[in-house]
Amino acid sequence: MNTILVGAQWGDEGKGKIIDVLTEQADYVVRTQGGNNAGHTVYVGPKKYVLHLIPSGILRKKKICVIGNGVVVDPIGLVKEIDTLEKLGTKCDGRLFISETAHLVLPYHREIDAQRETVKGKNKIGTTKRGIGPAYGDKVARVGLRLIDLVNPEVFAEKLKVRIKENNAILKVFGAKPLSYKKVHDEYRAAGDRLKPFVTNTLILLHKAMAKNASILFEGAQGTFLDIDHGTYPYVTSSNTTSGGACTGSGIAPNRMDRVVGVMKAYTTRVGEGPLPTENAEIADMLHGMGREFGATTGRARRCGWFDSVATRHATMVNGIDELAITNLDGLDTLDTVKVCIAYRIGKQKIDYIPNDVAILSKCEPVYVEFPGWKTPTDKVKNWKDLPAKARTYLKAISELTGAKLAIASVGPAREQTMFL
Ligand code: GDP
Ligand code: IMO
Ligand code: MG
């Protein structure tokens, strides 16, 4: 059984938690796109982990984790992540494999990312400043460096020299300081030596695993509306966050995939700029007041709003979502009334899809239906039938509006706060 798990909203849907739960039944967990812009939170008992590049499956012993070719890897960040996990008692040796064709994030990518944001001023994207856009830019422009280069000292030295020269010229245009070739080289080569044992041909590794009937879980990063093609461009990330990205980012063909699981919150959040039709200050204040919805990577307060079924229905269409995992139901436990957006109004027109022009999407007024709140804590509920009837009605309604089968409901960050339907 090969399962693609994607975020059905704007990221941070709780993918890390659901991956951790589903990993119990999987043999391999594979990241296929994005980089350390991702922040996937997993609780194992009282211990909190935030994974950025390493698949969340690493927290379950004996599972094999793969960073696929479609990921952009910051080697310095990855070494830190491996070290942090090892300090907390999780060993990566022999369980983590990194594609030799995955591209590198280099210091000039991070610097250019930050400079571009500054120049954009009020039109900024609100990126994580992890260099993701410029790294994918170099990949597409065919001037990127890859893991296969990093672990080959001569090749790396030669290619890096050329790239530092060009990027220092770009940094000059921004009025930023040039980078020292030697400093970057030495730092990255040290990381390269550390990562070498993990670097391999992951395409062959995964196909051999499939030949032995292994079960693979593809861990999406970001969310549908941050997709470079299908998101709210230009307020997006630079990879395909939708289900197709799992195929191109791993080398596993679409017809070898068995199921697509879409993860969504019982409300909506977004971090960074760009349209968010159901944004609502009261919901944001309530959730922030509960200490929730602060970014796992940058610590920024997430923007919050009501559940948007126009968006999640669109996500079902683009990703081919078969099953839904709805998280953070407990966030709505205290409300008298819970609203759900079922269409957008633009002037006199009513639409039920996401318009491609962000200027138009920004002007869309949500059309809401209301549900009575259940006003009962749900965080200790273990079974579907023990959920308050009004909470069940709400979950059923949002899955029906989304157009996919409800398979998992989550009422807290812990493994045991999960219900299967
Ligand atoms: P990801 O990027 O999709 O993995 O999501 P993040 O980890 O960035 O953000 C999701 C947040 O919600 C994390 O703090 C999780 O621990 C938390 N979380 C996930 N599911 C639930 C849930 O059902 N209830 C509560 N209270 N928190 C949850
Ligand atoms: P996970 O995997 C939420 C957002 C940034 C910004 C835009 C572009 O944890 O769900 P980038 O640094 O990628 O160029 O930023 O995308 N973004 C995320 N938002 N969750 C994420 O990952 C995100 N990764 C990037 O905030 O708006
Ligand atoms: Mg996150």
Side-chain angles (χ1 to χ4, degrees), residues 30-240:
V30 186
R31 273 281 306 271
T32 57
Q33 42 72 227
N36 61 355
N37 49 348
H40 296 179
T41 315
V42 181
Y43 282 85
V44 182
K47 274 194 203 167
K48 179 184 174 180
Y49 297 83
V50 181
L51 284 317
H52 299 287
L53 273 164
I54 300 177
S56 303
I58 201 78
L59 301 173
R60 300 234 184 213
K61 287 193 179 72
K62 297 194 182 138
K63 307 294 174 174
I64 306 289
C65 289
V66 173
I67 297 178
N69 58 277
V71 176
V72 286
V73 177
D74 180 335
I76 311 296
L78 182 53
V79 166
K80 272 194 202 136
E81 209 170 316
I82 293 171
D83 288 345
T84 306
L85 279 177
E86 294 201 336
K87 264 189 217 130
L88 291 165
T90 300
K91 281 235 173 327
C92 296
D93 296 347
R95 295 181 51 216
L96 175 67
F97 297 94
I98 311 163
S99 167
E100 53 197 6
T101 59
H103 278 248
L104 302 179
V105 177
L106 283 137
Y108 45 81
H109 294 133
R110 282 193 299 274
E111 188 59 39
I112 291 170
D113 190 357
Q115 293 293 338
R116 281 190 185 142
E117 285 285 272
T118 308
V119 169
K120 283 198 181 103
K122 68 173 181 36
N123 295 322
K124 69 177 196 281
I125 295 166
T127 74
T128 59
K129 298 193 181 154
R130 297 294 189 273
I132 305 299
Y136 276 114
D138 275 3
K139 173 177 175 174
V140 175
R142 297 158 299 175
V143 291
L145 270 70
R146 306 186 290 178
L147 262 305
I148 204 169
D149 303 318
L150 182 67
V151 297
N152 182 332
E154 288 84 51
V155 171
F156 183 69
E158 195 183 315
K159 290 191 176 176
L160 182 70
K161 207 167 263 166
V162 178
R163 298 308 302 144
I164 291 274
K165 198 171 167 207
E166 182 183 305
N167 281 284
N168 276 347
I170 296 171
L171 289 173
K172 200 170 171 187
V173 174
F174 285 113
K177 274 202 285 199
L179 292 162
S180 146
Y181 163 75
K182 187 173 174 351
K183 190 163 173 274
V184 176
H185 172 269
D186 294 355
E187 199 185 4
Y188 272 65
R189 276 294 310 128
D193 284 342
R194 181 74 204 288
L195 295 177
K196 195 169 181 177
F198 301 101
V199 177
T200 188
N201 185 330
T202 55
L203 174 79
I204 301 299
L205 179 100
L206 289 171
H207 281 270
K208 277 189 180 159
M210 284 199 304
K212 289 185 183 156
N213 285 326
S215 230
I216 307 177
L217 194 49
F218 294 86
E219 175 172 357
Q222 292 81 52
T224 300
F225 300 102
L226 293 173
D227 184 283
I228 185 72
D229 286 285
H230 301 289
T232 52
Y233 192 90
Y235 302 100
V236 291
T237 191
S238 300
S239 65
N240 283 119

Side-chain angles (χ1 to χ4, degrees), residues 253-421:
N255 63 351
R256 305 301 305 273
M257 301 295 184
D258 300 295
R259 155 175 90 149
V260 179
V261 175
V263 186
M264 55 196 211
K265 280 178 177 150
Y267 45 89
T268 307
T269 67
R270 170 168 208 165
V271 58
E273 308 305 316
L276 186 63
T278 61
E279 187 163 18
N280 178 285
E282 270 169 61
I283 297 290
D285 290 347
M286 176 188 81
L287 293 164
H288 294 150
M290 293 156 94
R292 301 160 70 127
E293 302 310 342
F294 293 93
T297 297
T298 58
R300 291 177 293 176
R302 294 175 183 149
R303 298 156 63 195
C304 305
W306 297 111
F307 186 85
D308 184 346
S309 72
V310 177
T312 57
R313 195 161 51 239
H314 198 106
T316 297
M317 186 167 66
V318 178
N319 294 293
I321 295 173
D322 301 299
E323 295 180 6
L324 292 173
I326 305 183
T327 69
N328 287 275
L329 176 74
D330 54 306
L332 304 176
D333 283 351
T334 57
L335 294 171
D336 292 325
T337 305
V338 186
K339 291 189 193 181
V340 173
C341 168
I342 52 158
Y344 298 151
R345 193 170 280 126
I346 325 167
K348 286 196 179 111
Q349 205 194 349
K350 214 164 139 185
I351 57 167
D352 62 357
Y353 61 89
I354 304 250
N356 282 325
D357 184 339
V358 281
I360 294 175
L361 182 58
S362 309
K363 290 196 190 104
C364 283
E365 289 291 332
V367 177
Y368 289 115
V369 291
E370 294 189 356
F371 291 84
W374 42 97
K375 304 198 71 163
T376 315
T378 55
D379 60 322
K380 301 214 164 44
V381 177
K382 298 265 186 288
N383 298 299
W384 171 253
K385 65 174 182 20
D386 298 328
L387 270 179
K390 287 175 181 156
R392 274 183 281 150
T393 302
Y394 177 70
L395 287 176
K396 275 194 208 146
I398 60 175
S399 343
E400 270 163 30
L401 286 165
T402 299
K405 182 177 156 257
L406 177 60
I408 296 175
S410 166
V411 289
R415 282 174 177 169
E416 51 283 3
Q417 291 170 300
T418 316
M419 282 163 254
F420 296 89
L421 278 84

